[in-house]
Amino acid sequence: MQADIIVVAAGKGERMGRELPKPFLPVGGLPLLIHTLRAITQSSLIANIILVAAPEREALCHDILRAHGRFHVPVTVVHGGAERQDSVRLGLAALDTTSEIVAIHDAARPFLDREILERSIETAALHGAALVAVPARDTIKRVGEDGTVVETIPRQQLWLAQTPQTFRVALIREAHARALAGGVVVTDDAALLEHWGQVVKIVPGSYRNFKITTPEDLLVAEALLRIG
Ligand code: CTP
Ligand code: MG
């Protein structure tokens, strides 16, 4: 079974603090986005890529794709919105009507493993929703507004959400439509399904699949690319 993938790249990259948003910053001599697209196209399960970018970066996307993006999978560029959730919803609207399974992936995660992407597609086909996540490595505390510890949350139950998050198209479309109507705002797509009581299955991810967020992350990415 094949799937489409929405790659969200329409953020501003405020925590990175650079003029260009993260997907367009060079890492190992190539725009970050190209590394991400190359990782995705390692899988023969991906039929179409919807690349969601800010309207003012659309021309840059096309330039980069022309220069580096000779992929065997078609890439369609669509406009994103103010919040990540808006960008995903606009990406969903651009899917072909025949599309049944969709993976949603951050452009800022270039170290995606083919096996993990494929496992998330298989899990979504079976259960409806798959969330790639890794066990929390640190001890996590809930802290009150006065700066004192309220409790230690048992680590065995804590997982850190990554992307891809993969869904049956009808299910995630409905979740986004309901969220829009109800004013529900969340930071990841799986949370929309959780909100409506839908089952979301975990697919174990990898710590390499981290999201490039700050200047230090860019240095780590450079180092990982060097050692391969
Ligand atoms: N994203 C998006 N549309 C938005 C916000 C985010 O497509 N309105 C994308 C980003 O481009 C990124 C992914 O969602 O690939 C994860 O978001 P994040 O790491 O928060 O990126 P930014 O929002 O760009 O960074 P920041 O929060 O530091 O501004
Ligand atoms: Mg953000």
Side-chain angles (χ1 to χ4, degrees):
M1 133 261 346
Q2 282 210 312
D4 294 334
I5 190 164
I6 295 171
V7 178
V8 283
K12 291 199 162 55
E14 277 167 1
R15 286 167 288 179
M16 186 61 74
R18 298 269 291 269
E19 167 71 24
L20 269 182
K22 297 182 289 190
F24 308 103
L25 295 176
V27 195
L30 282 175
L32 180 55
L33 173 63
I34 294 298
H35 293 289
T36 307
L37 294 177
R38 283 186 181 174
I40 288 168
T41 53
Q42 295 302 303
S43 172
S44 57
L45 297 188
I46 297 296
N48 294 286
I49 299 174
I50 309 286
L51 175 58
V52 186
E56 66 273 21
R57 304 293 177 195
E58 190 179 336
L60 180 57
C61 280
H62 286 298
D63 288 350
I64 288 176
L65 288 172
R66 243 192 318 274
H68 310 285
R70 283 199 186 75
F71 302 114
H72 58 278
V73 179
V75 182
T76 307
V77 181
V78 303
H79 291 175
E83 301 298 330
R84 186 183 181 283
Q85 191 171 323
D86 303 315
S87 295
V88 172
R89 194 181 57 251
L90 292 163
L92 288 170
L95 287 176
D96 198 271
T97 48
T98 59
S99 178
E100 286 179 35
I101 303 285
V102 63
I104 299 167
H105 187 60
D106 294 328
R109 293 183 193 270
F111 299 107
L112 171 61
D113 219 69
R114 181 178 61 84
E115 283 83 10
I116 292 172
L117 171 60
E118 295 189 342
R119 217 166 296 137
S120 85
I121 292 169
E122 286 154 11
T123 304
L126 214 57
H127 298 283
L131 164 67
V132 172
V134 288
R137 293 195 283 198
D138 298 328
T139 297
I140 299 185
K141 309 278 183 181
R142 190 187 309 282
V143 177
E145 278 177 15
D146 62 352
T148 59
V149 173
V150 177
E151 62 171 337
T152 303
I153 304 166
R155 199 175 57 199
Q156 294 71 15
Q157 294 176 3
L158 294 180
W159 289 68
L160 308 176
Q162 301 185 334
T163 70
Q165 302 192 357
T166 307
F167 308 95
R168 285 195 199 120
V169 171
L171 205 59
I172 190 68
R173 273 220 176 107
E174 192 196 346
H176 270 271
R178 283 192 190 190
L180 186 65
V184 177
V185 180
V186 293
T187 52
D188 76 333
D189 299 286
L192 289 179
L193 268 79
E194 297 154 30
H195 194 81
W196 307 113
Q198 295 281 348
V199 169
V200 177
K201 281 277 176 194
I202 290 284
V203 172
S206 110
Y207 292 98
R208 272 175 72 97
N209 182 33
F210 70 104
K211 180 162 66 70
I212 293 178
T213 305
T214 64
E216 293 75 25
D217 295 335
L218 217 45
L219 294 176
V220 174
E222 290 275 1
L224 284 174
L225 283 173
R226 261 201 307 276
I227 61 174

